[in-house]
Amino acid sequence: MLMCFTACTQTPLDRHHDASATNGQLLRQGVERLDPPRPEIPSPRSQRRPSDTVLIAGEPISIGTRVVLFDESRGYSAYRGARYFNERRDEAGGGPLPAQPLDRAGVEALVDRVVMHYDVAGCSSRCFRTLQKERGLSCHFLLDLDGTLYQTLDLRERAWHAGTSNSRSVGIEIANVGAYPLGGRNPFGTWYRPHPDRPTRLVLPADSGVRHPEGVIGPARDRPVVGRIHNRRLEQYDLTHAQYAALIKLTAALCRHLPRVTPDAPRDANGVVRTSVMPTSDRIHFSGLIGHHHLTPEKIDPGPAFDWPRLLTGVKAELAAFPASKNPSTDR
């Protein structure tokens, strides 16, 4: 989660005191980074792969919705310039990560979580700029308001987005200005235009960088959604319909091609998706789709407006409609 304005009670996406903080500080001081550089990923679009391709250890996977890869002219690449990803350490205490880049089987064996964030920046261009230029962080995917997905890193890389879950997770930053205390200060008036007789519309800034602005109409629900995260009463505008459609395609594909990722989210005793941190045992053992707030009480993303039932129902329907073997030797 990125920083908003200082008067808000939002907390920025942090490094959870892991080694990435050390690297970020050293880079800003002009000191050589601690982990050695890794080889560039081969240029995927040069092979004329479909426009719905994501990369898992260099292998192309079609997911059924448009994706802009990191080597495209209008893509966002975390490989350019200072590299705020990787680090040869397993924070869970399982020993060092492999010195060489993971292959497909290595990614499948390691990754068991997909972490949802909202970016607070409001659009993917601003999000990427903040991650790379201001925060020294990274995320595998950015999901813009029009439903365009940007892959900034191959999934073999350890992105810096979720502290102790970095080594085992795929991170998704969703364009949304975020959740705020009910009745407090928020940026909704700048980004949303409610109307009594028409759907609420999103107002894009001049530097939004949205590829298909004609596809951005407004949030899936016309009014801010009020709910509790960590027992704090918050309000937030929903994602767009295009974002949900793309997110369902992406997360279903990740569940299909990464065998340890299950199509479910952490639930409370009533079977409802949790609005608080997972118990310690679940934080260690749970595999599936999670929000950043499930990992730490300092985070509230993806927020009370995030429609978990819509996502999970959509993912399960997608998996049922397009089943694939979980055996890596037969699903390629």
Side-chain angles (χ1 to χ4, degrees):
M1 185 169 64
L2 310 180
M3 180 61 78
C4 181
F5 43 79
T6 57
C8 294
T9 60
Q10 301 266 36
T11 54
L13 197 162
D14 60 24
R15 300 180 182 84
H16 294 262
H17 309 290
D18 68 7
S20 57
T22 303
N23 270 359
Q25 291 163 1
L26 290 173
L27 286 166
R28 290 184 181 86
Q29 297 167 9
V31 180
E32 185 177 359
R33 66 180 299 114
L34 299 180
D35 52 325
R38 292 171 66 144
E40 292 285 354
I41 302 297
S43 177
R45 285 292 185 254
S46 64
Q47 301 179 32
R48 298 185 181 277
R49 293 189 174 118
S51 61
D52 68 342
T53 295
V54 302
L55 292 180
I56 303 179
E59 296 188 30
I61 304 297
S62 292
I63 68 170
T65 189
R66 63 176 176 263
V67 182
V68 181
L69 289 179
F70 41 77
D71 74 329
E72 295 188 60
S73 60
R74 293 188 65 186
Y76 301 121
S77 175
Y79 293 101
R80 301 190 191 112
R83 296 188 173 194
Y84 302 108
F85 57 92
N86 292 333
E87 180 66 32
R88 311 287 187 241
R89 187 168 69 87
D90 182 349
E91 314 95 318
L97 293 175
Q100 297 300 315
L102 294 170
D103 59 11
R104 173 79 179 271
V107 177
E108 291 173 351
L110 185 65
V111 174
D112 67 353
R113 290 178 171 178
V114 178
V115 183
M116 313 291 173
H117 307 269
Y118 58 58
D119 64 15
V120 183
C123 50
S124 292
S125 63
R126 290 183 173 185
C127 174
F128 185 72
R129 184 165 63 245
T130 303
L131 286 173
Q132 290 289 116
K133 303 299 184 183
E134 300 175 19
R135 301 306 314 284
L137 298 169
S138 55
C139 211
H140 296 97
F141 293 100
L142 312 179
L143 174 55
D144 219 344
L145 294 164
D146 64 345
T148 298
L149 281 160
Y150 296 89
Q151 185 173 1
T152 75
L153 286 170
D154 190 295
L155 299 196
R156 73 174 79 187
E157 315 290 5
R158 173 186 176 275
W160 297 350
H161 67 101
T164 57
S165 285
N166 285 343
S167 296
R168 60 191 291 190
S169 68
V170 172
I172 306 173
E173 287 278 3
I174 303 166
N176 184 281
V177 295
Y180 299 83
L182 186 63
R185 188 181 176 200
N186 62 60
F188 297 161
T190 301
W191 287 84
Y192 299 97
R193 291 288 182 273
H195 191 280
D197 302 318
R198 296 192 298 272
T200 296
R201 299 187 68 85
L202 263 160
V203 180
L204 300 182
D207 66 343
S208 73
V210 174
R211 292 171 69 93
H212 300 279
E214 71 283 354
V216 180
I217 299 172
R221 287 173 278 188
D222 287 331
R223 296 292 179 265
V225 177
V226 177
R228 292 184 182 274
I229 303 292
H230 306 309
N231 210 30
R232 296 165 55 189
R233 201 167 185 220
L234 305 166
E235 59 181 339
Q236 176 192 13
Y237 271 101
D238 205 349
L239 311 188
T240 67
H241 290 295
Q243 285 178 309
Y244 278 117
L247 189 61
I248 287 168
K249 291 285 188 180
L250 173 61
T251 49
L254 294 176
C255 290
R256 185 179 296 119
H257 293 286
L258 299 176
R260 298 186 65 199
V261 178
T262 59
D264 205 358
R267 297 180 183 273
D268 62 21
N270 297 315
V272 177
V273 174
R274 297 185 67 89
T275 59
S276 59
V277 174
M278 288 186 284
T280 301
S281 177
D282 288 350
R283 270 181 279 168
I284 295 171
H285 299 294
F286 181 84
S287 63
L289 312 179
I290 63 176
H292 202 183
H293 76 270
H294 290 131
L295 298 175
T296 171
E298 285 75 38
K299 302 300 177 181
I300 57 176
D301 49 324
F306 189 83
D307 195 338
W308 285 102
R310 178 173 181 173
L311 173 68
L312 296 172
T313 299
V315 167
K316 290 172 183 177
E318 188 78 12
L319 292 172
F322 301 99
S325 171
K326 285 293 189 181
N327 185 336
S329 65
T330 60
D331 72 352
R332 301 178 190 175

